[in-house]
Amino acid sequence: MIDVRSDTVTRPTPAMLAAMMAAQVGDDVYGEDENVNALQHAAATAFGMEAALFCPSGTMTNQIAIKLHTQPGDEVICDELAHTYLYEGGGIAFHSGASVRTLRGPGGRFTAEQVRDNVNRRDDSHLPWTRLVAVENTVNKGGGGCWDLAQLQRIRAVCDEQGLALHLDGARLYNALVARGETPAQYGAVFHTISICLSKGLGAPTGSLLLGSREHIARAHRLRKLMGGGMRQAGYLAAAGLYALNHHVARLSEDHAKARQVAAELPALPYVKDVLPVETNILIFHLDDGVQPDRYLRYLQARGVRAGTMGKQTIRFVFHLDVGADQVGELIGAIRQFH
Ligand SMILES: Cc1ncc(COP(=O)(O)O)c(C=O)c1O
């Protein structure tokens, strides 16, 4: 099967598996796993941040970060497409007791001016205190689009002016860095905390990193324990993460090229209403109103393609290292022949 439901479906390559098998492990709850320590150190160094914490999932790193920056009754500003808001089980309410002010920007990207306009006054006791701005890059539901670094820097300036924290859900940040020719350190300089996922396009089986100041990460360590995320011989997973950071970053551009190649076919297909601009490995398009998404997905499945929906009439293909060049050709053959 050609599985483009998500870039989370990848399996470790033989070389990644070999790196996992060779890992020397220890008990990470005691801080004794060499690979976990090396992974955390490598990531913190690359981003120019003081410390990092290895966690089981991106949901956990995001939710820990939100809890670090807020108190119950505070408010978080994010885009209406944000994963932290839509797809983390209501975790902002559950873990942090915070309310959310959603903004609407093209492709999930709002402006510094919108942030400034939506910060609540602190001298009015009716209002929740705005405490945190959360940004997502790339924006999953926005079709994998990338933020302009300059806009993020302007948002940071508003955060500094208003006394707000700034968190990045960088589940696919490396896709953005590769697409835009930017560096981790440029992002480390803008955000108070950053979550990056090793289990998406980077191809590790599981695991995410939260990056921040020494103080933030010390508190995050305690919150990870509280959420049941303290892992023991996690070095096997950390070894996969280290392998991913060392070998799977530059190749993300190949996934972006696959997404562009398939996207180029879509405007000519009679059943496609429109296509979101493609910048990275995510391709989102809308079906004409007369086409039932379930029928389309069943057709694709019968042609050996597993894809998913993302809202009304919305189809998402996500490209990753387990989709080969031949399979891109087969996928194109399948979508051309649907009627
Ligand atoms: C943008 C974004 N943030 C966070 C996550 C959560 O990651 P996890 O599935 O590891 O919890 C995802 C998952 O797909 C995501 O797309």
Side-chain angles (χ1 to χ4, degrees), residues 299-317:
Y299 162 81
L300 288 178
Q301 175 95 17
R303 293 288 303 253
V305 177
R306 299 178 89 180
T309 53
M310 216 184 201
K312 197 165 174 267
Q313 296 300 105
T314 311
I315 302 293
R316 188 183 73 159
F317 295 162

PDB file of all heavy atoms in Angstrom, residues 299-317:
ATOM      1  N   TYR A 299     -12.164   4.420  -3.410  1.00  0.00           N
ATOM      2  CA  TYR A 299     -11.563   4.211  -4.733  1.00  0.00           C
ATOM      3  C   TYR A 299     -10.034   4.148  -4.605  1.00  0.00           C
ATOM      4  O   TYR A 299      -9.381   3.247  -5.134  1.00  0.00           O
ATOM      5  CB  TYR A 299     -11.974   5.348  -5.687  1.00  0.00           C
ATOM      6  CG  TYR A 299     -11.081   5.452  -6.894  1.00  0.00           C
ATOM      7  CD1 TYR A 299     -11.256   4.624  -7.999  1.00  0.00           C
ATOM      8  CD2 TYR A 299     -10.007   6.364  -6.913  1.00  0.00           C
ATOM      9  CE1 TYR A 299     -10.405   4.693  -9.097  1.00  0.00           C
ATOM     10  CE2 TYR A 299      -9.151   6.441  -8.000  1.00  0.00           C
ATOM     11  CZ  TYR A 299      -9.351   5.606  -9.085  1.00  0.00           C
ATOM     12  OH  TYR A 299      -8.500   5.663 -10.156  1.00  0.00           O
ATOM     13  N   LEU A 300      -9.482   5.122  -3.886  1.00  0.00           N
ATOM     14  CA  LEU A 300      -8.015   5.148  -3.742  1.00  0.00           C
ATOM     15  C   LEU A 300      -7.524   3.876  -3.051  1.00  0.00           C
ATOM     16  O   LEU A 300      -6.522   3.277  -3.447  1.00  0.00           O
ATOM     17  CB  LEU A 300      -7.573   6.382  -2.944  1.00  0.00           C
ATOM     18  CG  LEU A 300      -7.682   7.724  -3.666  1.00  0.00           C
ATOM     19  CD1 LEU A 300      -7.262   8.864  -2.738  1.00  0.00           C
ATOM     20  CD2 LEU A 300      -6.829   7.759  -4.933  1.00  0.00           C
ATOM     21  N   GLN A 301      -8.237   3.484  -2.023  1.00  0.00           N
ATOM     22  CA  GLN A 301      -7.869   2.266  -1.272  1.00  0.00           C
ATOM     23  C   GLN A 301      -7.829   1.065  -2.223  1.00  0.00           C
ATOM     24  O   GLN A 301      -6.896   0.266  -2.184  1.00  0.00           O
ATOM     25  CB  GLN A 301      -8.916   2.064  -0.162  1.00  0.00           C
ATOM     26  CG  GLN A 301      -8.773   0.800   0.653  1.00  0.00           C
ATOM     27  CD  GLN A 301      -7.974   1.021   1.954  1.00  0.00           C
ATOM     28  OE1 GLN A 301      -7.796   2.150   2.398  1.00  0.00           O
ATOM     29  NE2 GLN A 301      -7.497  -0.061   2.537  1.00  0.00           N
ATOM     30  N   ALA A 302      -8.834   0.985  -3.095  1.00  0.00           N
ATOM     31  CA  ALA A 302      -8.882  -0.130  -4.048  1.00  0.00           C
ATOM     32  C   ALA A 302      -7.711  -0.058  -5.030  1.00  0.00           C
ATOM     33  O   ALA A 302      -7.293  -1.074  -5.584  1.00  0.00           O
ATOM     34  CB  ALA A 302     -10.212  -0.121  -4.799  1.00  0.00           C
ATOM     35  N   ARG A 303      -7.168   1.158  -5.223  1.00  0.00           N
ATOM     36  CA  ARG A 303      -5.996   1.323  -6.108  1.00  0.00           C
ATOM     37  C   ARG A 303      -4.681   1.261  -5.323  1.00  0.00           C
ATOM     38  O   ARG A 303      -3.623   1.630  -5.831  1.00  0.00           O
ATOM     39  CB  ARG A 303      -6.094   2.675  -6.827  1.00  0.00           C
ATOM     40  CG  ARG A 303      -7.238   2.773  -7.820  1.00  0.00           C
ATOM     41  CD  ARG A 303      -6.993   1.943  -9.061  1.00  0.00           C
ATOM     42  NE  ARG A 303      -5.747   2.317  -9.720  1.00  0.00           N
ATOM     43  CZ  ARG A 303      -5.650   2.999 -10.856  1.00  0.00           C
ATOM     44  NH1 ARG A 303      -6.729   3.359 -11.502  1.00  0.00           N
ATOM     45  NH2 ARG A 303      -4.471   3.302 -11.381  1.00  0.00           N
ATOM     46  N   GLY A 304      -4.786   0.851  -4.062  1.00  0.00           N
ATOM     47  CA  GLY A 304      -3.565   0.672  -3.263  1.00  0.00           C
ATOM     48  C   GLY A 304      -3.065   1.930  -2.582  1.00  0.00           C
ATOM     49  O   GLY A 304      -1.901   2.003  -2.172  1.00  0.00           O
ATOM     50  N   VAL A 305      -3.945   2.936  -2.440  1.00  0.00           N
ATOM     51  CA  VAL A 305      -3.526   4.197  -1.818  1.00  0.00           C
ATOM     52  C   VAL A 305      -4.376   4.456  -0.569  1.00  0.00           C
ATOM     53  O   VAL A 305      -5.609   4.465  -0.644  1.00  0.00           O
ATOM     54  CB  VAL A 305      -3.710   5.391  -2.791  1.00  0.00           C
ATOM     55  CG1 VAL A 305      -3.330   6.700  -2.107  1.00  0.00           C
ATOM     56  CG2 VAL A 305      -2.899   5.181  -4.067  1.00  0.00           C
ATOM     57  N   ARG A 306      -3.707   4.665   0.547  1.00  0.00           N
ATOM     58  CA  ARG A 306      -4.449   5.037   1.764  1.00  0.00           C
ATOM     59  C   ARG A 306      -4.264   6.535   1.992  1.00  0.00           C
ATOM     60  O   ARG A 306      -3.144   7.005   2.172  1.00  0.00           O
ATOM     61  CB  ARG A 306      -3.917   4.266   2.969  1.00  0.00           C
ATOM     62  CG  ARG A 306      -4.065   2.778   2.806  1.00  0.00           C
ATOM     63  CD  ARG A 306      -3.496   2.058   3.993  1.00  0.00           C
ATOM     64  NE  ARG A 306      -4.507   1.894   5.029  1.00  0.00           N
ATOM     65  CZ  ARG A 306      -4.277   1.290   6.184  1.00  0.00           C
ATOM     66  NH1 ARG A 306      -3.087   0.817   6.467  1.00  0.00           N
ATOM     67  NH2 ARG A 306      -5.245   1.143   7.067  1.00  0.00           N
ATOM     68  N   ALA A 307      -5.372   7.264   1.962  1.00  0.00           N
ATOM     69  CA  ALA A 307      -5.321   8.717   2.190  1.00  0.00           C
ATOM     70  C   ALA A 307      -6.356   9.067   3.247  1.00  0.00           C
ATOM     71  O   ALA A 307      -7.100   8.199   3.712  1.00  0.00           O
ATOM     72  CB  ALA A 307      -5.599   9.455   0.883  1.00  0.00           C
ATOM     73  N   GLY A 308      -6.402  10.332   3.640  1.00  0.00           N
ATOM     74  CA  GLY A 308      -7.344  10.733   4.690  1.00  0.00           C
ATOM     75  C   GLY A 308      -8.031  12.041   4.364  1.00  0.00           C
ATOM     76  O   GLY A 308      -7.650  12.738   3.416  1.00  0.00           O
ATOM     77  N   THR A 309      -9.060  12.351   5.155  1.00  0.00           N
ATOM     78  CA  THR A 309      -9.747  13.635   4.994  1.00  0.00           C
ATOM     79  C   THR A 309      -9.285  14.580   6.094  1.00  0.00           C
ATOM     80  O   THR A 309      -8.739  14.156   7.115  1.00  0.00           O
ATOM     81  CB  THR A 309     -11.276  13.481   5.121  1.00  0.00           C
ATOM     82  OG1 THR A 309     -11.547  12.816   6.352  1.00  0.00           O
ATOM     83  CG2 THR A 309     -11.851  12.674   3.981  1.00  0.00           C
ATOM     84  N   MET A 310      -9.520  15.860   5.869  1.00  0.00           N
ATOM     85  CA  MET A 310      -9.210  16.841   6.917  1.00  0.00           C
ATOM     86  C   MET A 310     -10.250  17.938   6.871  1.00  0.00           C
ATOM     87  O   MET A 310      -9.958  19.071   6.512  1.00  0.00           O
ATOM     88  CB  MET A 310      -7.799  17.390   6.714  1.00  0.00           C
ATOM     89  CG  MET A 310      -7.161  17.632   8.054  1.00  0.00           C
ATOM     90  SD  MET A 310      -5.584  18.347   8.058  1.00  0.00           S
ATOM     91  CE  MET A 310      -5.078  17.810   9.693  1.00  0.00           C
ATOM     92  N   GLY A 311     -11.497  17.559   7.205  1.00  0.00           N
ATOM     93  CA  GLY A 311     -12.587  18.529   7.126  1.00  0.00           C
ATOM     94  C   GLY A 311     -13.438  18.244   5.901  1.00  0.00           C
ATOM     95  O   GLY A 311     -13.159  17.353   5.112  1.00  0.00           O
ATOM     96  N   LYS A 312     -14.476  19.086   5.748  1.00  0.00           N
ATOM     97  CA  LYS A 312     -15.481  18.889   4.708  1.00  0.00           C
ATOM     98  C   LYS A 312     -14.870  18.937   3.295  1.00  0.00           C
ATOM     99  O   LYS A 312     -14.168  19.896   2.961  1.00  0.00           O
ATOM    100  CB  LYS A 312     -16.507  20.020   4.852  1.00  0.00           C
ATOM    101  CG  LYS A 312     -17.799  19.783   4.167  1.00  0.00           C
ATOM    102  CD  LYS A 312     -18.850  20.785   4.678  1.00  0.00           C
ATOM    103  CE  LYS A 312     -20.121  20.644   3.889  1.00  0.00           C
ATOM    104  NZ  LYS A 312     -20.193  21.549   2.745  1.00  0.00           N
ATOM    105  N   GLN A 313     -15.135  17.931   2.504  1.00  0.00           N
ATOM    106  CA  GLN A 313     -14.667  17.846   1.099  1.00  0.00           C
ATOM    107  C   GLN A 313     -13.144  17.983   0.988  1.00  0.00           C
ATOM    108  O   GLN A 313     -12.630  18.327  -0.074  1.00  0.00           O
ATOM    109  CB  GLN A 313     -15.349  18.920   0.225  1.00  0.00           C
ATOM    110  CG  GLN A 313     -16.847  18.780   0.069  1.00  0.00           C
ATOM    111  CD  GLN A 313     -17.281  17.462  -0.559  1.00  0.00           C
ATOM    112  OE1 GLN A 313     -17.769  16.580   0.121  1.00  0.00           O
ATOM    113  NE2 GLN A 313     -17.066  17.300  -1.857  1.00  0.00           N
ATOM    114  N   THR A 314     -12.445  17.758   2.077  1.00  0.00           N
ATOM    115  CA  THR A 314     -11.001  18.029   2.104  1.00  0.00           C
ATOM    116  C   THR A 314     -10.206  16.730   2.157  1.00  0.00           C
ATOM    117  O   THR A 314     -10.425  15.899   3.043  1.00  0.00           O
ATOM    118  CB  THR A 314     -10.648  18.869   3.362  1.00  0.00           C
ATOM    119  OG1 THR A 314     -11.540  19.963   3.428  1.00  0.00           O
ATOM    120  CG2 THR A 314      -9.217  19.355   3.305  1.00  0.00           C
ATOM    121  N   ILE A 315      -9.293  16.581   1.225  1.00  0.00           N
ATOM    122  CA  ILE A 315      -8.434  15.393   1.177  1.00  0.00           C
ATOM    123  C   ILE A 315      -7.005  15.823   1.487  1.00  0.00           C
ATOM    124  O   ILE A 315      -6.557  16.887   1.048  1.00  0.00           O
ATOM    125  CB  ILE A 315      -8.467  14.745  -0.229  1.00  0.00           C
ATOM    126  CG1 ILE A 315      -9.907  14.355  -0.617  1.00  0.00           C
ATOM    127  CG2 ILE A 315      -7.520  13.545  -0.316  1.00  0.00           C
ATOM    128  CD1 ILE A 315     -10.526  13.236   0.198  1.00  0.00           C
ATOM    129  N   ARG A 316      -6.317  14.984   2.270  1.00  0.00           N
ATOM    130  CA  ARG A 316      -4.913  15.294   2.595  1.00  0.00           C
ATOM    131  C   ARG A 316      -4.014  14.132   2.197  1.00  0.00           C
ATOM    132  O   ARG A 316      -4.303  12.982   2.539  1.00  0.00           O
ATOM    133  CB  ARG A 316      -4.767  15.568   4.091  1.00  0.00           C
ATOM    134  CG  ARG A 316      -3.385  16.081   4.469  1.00  0.00           C
ATOM    135  CD  ARG A 316      -3.225  16.275   5.971  1.00  0.00           C
ATOM    136  NE  ARG A 316      -3.114  14.989   6.647  1.00  0.00           N
ATOM    137  CZ  ARG A 316      -2.577  14.806   7.853  1.00  0.00           C
ATOM    138  NH1 ARG A 316      -2.120  15.839   8.534  1.00  0.00           N
ATOM    139  NH2 ARG A 316      -2.518  13.615   8.395  1.00  0.00           N
ATOM    140  N   PHE A 317      -2.959  14.451   1.468  1.00  0.00           N
ATOM    141  CA  PHE A 317      -1.878  13.495   1.194  1.00  0.00           C
ATOM    142  C   PHE A 317      -0.628  14.031   1.907  1.00  0.00           C
ATOM    143  O   PHE A 317      -0.290  15.201   1.731  1.00  0.00           O
ATOM    144  CB  PHE A 317      -1.523  13.416  -0.298  1.00  0.00           C
ATOM    145  CG  PHE A 317      -2.603  12.868  -1.208  1.00  0.00           C
ATOM    146  CD1 PHE A 317      -2.524  13.107  -2.581  1.00  0.00           C
ATOM    147  CD2 PHE A 317      -3.658  12.098  -0.738  1.00  0.00           C
ATOM    148  CE1 PHE A 317      -3.488  12.609  -3.462  1.00  0.00           C
ATOM    149  CE2 PHE A 317      -4.626  11.595  -1.606  1.00  0.00           C
ATOM    150  CZ  PHE A 317      -4.548  11.861  -2.970  1.00  0.00           C
TER     151      PHE A 317
END
